[in-house]
Amino acid sequence: MGTLISQKVYGAQGQAAIDSAMKRMNELEKLLTFKAEQGDVYKLNQNAGKEKIALSSDTIKILRKSQQVAELSSGAFDITVGPLVKSWAIGTPQEHIPSYEELKKILPLINFRDLYVDDSAASLKRPGQMVDLGGIAKGFAGDEVIRIYKKFGIRSAFVNIGGNVITLGNKPDGTPWRVGIRNPRPDAGQTQQSEQILATVEVVNKAVVTAGDEQRYFIKDGIRYHHILDPVTGYPARSDLMSVTLIMDSSFDADALDTAVFILGLEKGRELIRQFGGIEAVFITADKKIYITDGIKGSFKLYNEGNEYKLAN
């Protein structure tokens, strides 16, 4: 999935659970990745504007969840951003700022309502449209990993899929898992992972998923161009947030919602998670203020309060 995966699994069947989880994630990568020619996403995109394509139940489930979050967020989360993702190519040797003319051609193709999904198939309305599941596939994979752990009788585990952290039970000593939240603007001298941790939150049986402008980006003429693209403007989202972390039961839900919240910004993002329900959150704004929801006030710890970052509520 283009990222690092780490697992900590405790139990007699721990290694078998790890192996099975990796096998499942490899299957999902081949099914859901943009460029996997035998996969569902590739076939769907190749047939845009042509015919309906039969898809696996996994893909259908992800497409339907994507549509649900798109509706709820008024299109802030939109998986039909594929042409934009391809054009910007952020994180690849081809990354660049698309021209005005290029964006003018691409933007009319971005519309989640042009994706039709039924029980076993899907289609895109117009030629040139493309689905990209980069904002939700890792979340689905995370929940699948936890399902596999449980199948092997595991009661204590932790998986990190490129920053999407999902926990099962407590740590083996009975204490909660402590999950780090990265500093979105680490000092140049901070090279170790531990040095880049701004705060932690303690969780049990929760997913902790972050969207931020520091994960994949390039800088040109002093401007940061990051990978979370706004479907309306065609440019990287310019909200008042540097990052948002959601704490939820489901990694699948959290992965799509954190993208939408990041694009919407602090106030509209707060309203979105209130509507959805069952979500705790950590918002880090561009002016280095941190807002946390009431439910995690006892489990959240900020490490350098009074220095750069300040708790705002």
Side-chain angles (χ1 to χ4, degrees):
M1 294 188 180
T3 192
L4 291 172
I5 297 168
S6 62
Q7 302 180 71
K8 292 183 180 180
V9 182
Y10 299 88
Q13 294 292 306
Q15 189 59 52
I18 285 172
D19 294 344
S20 182
M22 284 305 301
K23 181 181 176 185
R24 178 64 171 140
M25 284 188 278
N26 283 324
E27 288 171 359
L28 290 172
E29 179 179 38
K30 290 171 185 172
L31 193 68
L32 305 172
T33 303
F34 208 51
K35 296 178 181 177
E37 293 190 11
Q38 301 306 311
D40 278 1
V41 168
Y42 186 88
K43 287 187 285 186
L44 176 61
N45 291 342
Q46 287 294 107
N47 284 278
K50 298 176 186 174
E51 58 185 339
K52 194 162 64 170
I53 298 297
L55 301 172
S56 73
S57 59
D58 290 330
T59 307
I60 293 294
K61 192 181 295 184
I62 294 168
L63 294 179
R64 285 190 155 165
K65 175 67 71 175
S66 301
Q67 296 297 74
Q68 177 195 357
V69 176
E71 289 283 358
L72 192 63
S73 65
S74 300
F77 179 76
D78 187 335
I79 59 169
T80 66
V81 294
L84 279 175
V85 173
K86 186 176 180 182
S87 177
W88 281 87
I90 294 173
T92 77
Q94 290 77 41
E95 62 189 13
H96 75 292
I97 303 169
S99 67
Y100 171 79
E101 290 75 19
E102 194 174 350
L103 289 178
K104 194 175 177 182
K105 289 178 184 175
I106 290 172
L107 282 174
L109 299 174
I110 315 301
N111 187 345
F112 69 92
R113 292 187 175 90
D114 287 345
L115 172 66
Y116 170 80
V117 187
D118 65 22
D119 290 342
S120 60
S123 62
L124 287 161
K125 187 175 180 180
R126 286 178 286 164
Q129 291 187 305
M130 301 172 77
V131 160
D132 184 305
L133 299 181
I136 193 170
K138 287 193 299 181
F140 179 77
D143 284 354
E144 283 294 283
V145 168
I146 296 299
R147 179 185 64 78
I148 288 166
Y149 291 166
K150 290 177 178 177
K151 187 177 78 171
F152 281 88
I154 304 300
R155 295 183 180 179
S156 175
F158 166 109
V159 60
N160 183 343
I161 308 174
N164 288 22
V165 174
I166 311 96
T167 64
L168 175 60
N170 289 287
K171 290 163 67 176
D173 64 3
T175 61
W177 293 97
R178 185 180 297 129
V179 179
I181 296 171
R182 280 170 52 91
N183 181 347
R185 296 292 183 273
D187 294 335
Q190 293 178 324
T191 55
Q192 298 297 318
Q193 185 74 17
S194 59
E195 293 176 329
Q196 297 175 14
I197 298 300
L198 175 65
T200 58
V201 62
E202 292 184 336
V203 294
V204 178
N205 289 322
K206 295 287 183 183
V208 182
V209 179
T210 298
D213 65 6
E214 86 289 355
Q215 294 169 351
R216 290 205 310 277
Y217 67 92
F218 66 91
I219 293 176
K220 186 171 176 61
D221 299 328
I223 298 172
R224 178 182 295 248
Y225 296 95
H226 60 81
H227 76 291
I228 304 175
L229 302 174
D230 186 330
V232 175
T233 66
Y235 273 77
R238 296 277 180 243
S239 72
D240 55 355
L241 296 174
M242 289 194 290
S243 80
V244 59
T245 299
L246 301 186
I247 299 107
M248 300 181 66
D249 292 338
S250 166
S251 148
F252 190 20
D253 289 335
D255 202 18
L257 284 164
D258 72 345
T259 303
V261 170
F262 181 88
I263 291 170
L264 290 170
L266 178 62
E267 292 307 323
K268 289 182 179 178
R270 278 173 155 174
E271 177 59 23
L272 176 62
I273 66 172
R274 187 196 64 76
Q275 286 180 43
F276 198 88
I279 305 176
E280 302 297 339
V282 179
F283 303 90
I284 304 178
T285 59
D287 57 0
K288 296 190 173 180
K289 291 179 181 174
I290 299 174
Y291 298 80
I292 64 174
T293 50
D294 290 343
I296 56 170
K297 286 186 174 176
S299 60
F300 177 86
K301 182 178 179 182
L302 177 62
Y303 286 110
N304 69 345
E305 186 171 15
N307 185 7
E308 288 184 275
Y309 293 86
K310 289 183 171 58
L311 272 175
N313 53 342

